[in-house]
Amino acid sequence: MTDFTDEELALDPHFADQFEQGFRPACQLYLISPPNIDATFVDALAAALDGGEVAAFQLRLKGLDEDAIAELAAPLQALCADRDVAFIINDSVALAQRLGADGVHLGQGDGDPREARKILGPKVQIGVTCHDSRHLAMEAGEAGADYVAFGAFYPTTTKDVLHHAEPSILGWWTTIFELPCVAIGGVTADNAAPLVAAGADFLAVSSAVWNHPAGPGAGVAAFADVLQQARNGAPDPK
């Protein structure tokens, strides 16, 4: 097996600039829950959804058993259904099936997308964490994932970060593949523009919304300008 240096494997940051960009839908927000919530969190989620357009909400709770998560999930899932927001469960295919969730997001240690598809069926969205790896992303696509997630792009306190991704991986992915990609990790309204420009289809955001000093509605609204600029700059579909 041939060994390559990190430099040889590095992605050209201007890779995507060599190609004419085709049409992709404008970048959207993908909300991720705080790591700890209680029954009152449904009010915070409602306020966030009042702040602007949100495509998806992922319930990501660590350290709780699935019965406890299911109890907390019920009002959140109902709210998402009312607002036409995809309701995604983190990590657990079994819980996603139990709740009839719109999707499941799998980390690298959370199971095979092929098996998830067999269990959940063709309509449920399956996302896969791919860190900073082109190889993992291509494997996820071949396994039938509906989207891939790259990151972390910036420092974050939401989870321990072992992988740092560069915006160029978003441009590489969207130049070659139609499958949507999500940019995650420390994303704020102030640092999101380079990720959108590089090709992110979704911005996964958490603390920037829930910890916004003016509340979660203002947290979502703060992304409006950067997302609107992306919409204004997107090419027309042919």
Side-chain angles (χ1 to χ4, degrees), residues 99-133:
L99 296 177
D102 298 308
V104 66
H105 185 87
L106 302 176
Q108 283 298 311
D110 297 325
D112 186 339
R114 293 183 182 86
E115 292 302 315
R117 180 67 67 207
K118 291 178 183 177
I119 294 168
L120 298 175
K123 295 183 179 180
V124 173
Q125 298 289 302
I126 297 174
V128 178
T129 293
C130 299
H131 305 304
D132 58 345
S133 172

Side-chain angles (χ1 to χ4, degrees), residues 187-206:
V187 180
T188 70
D190 292 331
N191 64 25
L195 304 179
V196 176
D201 295 297
F202 296 90
L203 298 176
V205 298
S206 186

Side-chain angles (χ1 to χ4, degrees), residues 21 73 97 167 201:
Q21 298 301 304
Q97 181 185 38
D201 295 297

Side-chain angles (χ1 to χ4, degrees), residues 30 32-35 60 129 131 150-165 183-188 191 195 204-211 223:
Y30 180 138
I32 299 178
S33 72
R60 181 182 184 274
T129 293
H131 305 304
F150 295 111
F153 288 93
Y154 303 112
T156 175
T157 58
T158 303
K159 62 185 295 186
D160 293 335
V161 174
L162 300 177
H163 305 272
H164 176 74
I184 190 169
V187 180
T188 70
N191 64 25
L195 304 179
V205 298
S206 186
S207 59
V209 167
W210 311 120
N211 296 336
F223 284 90

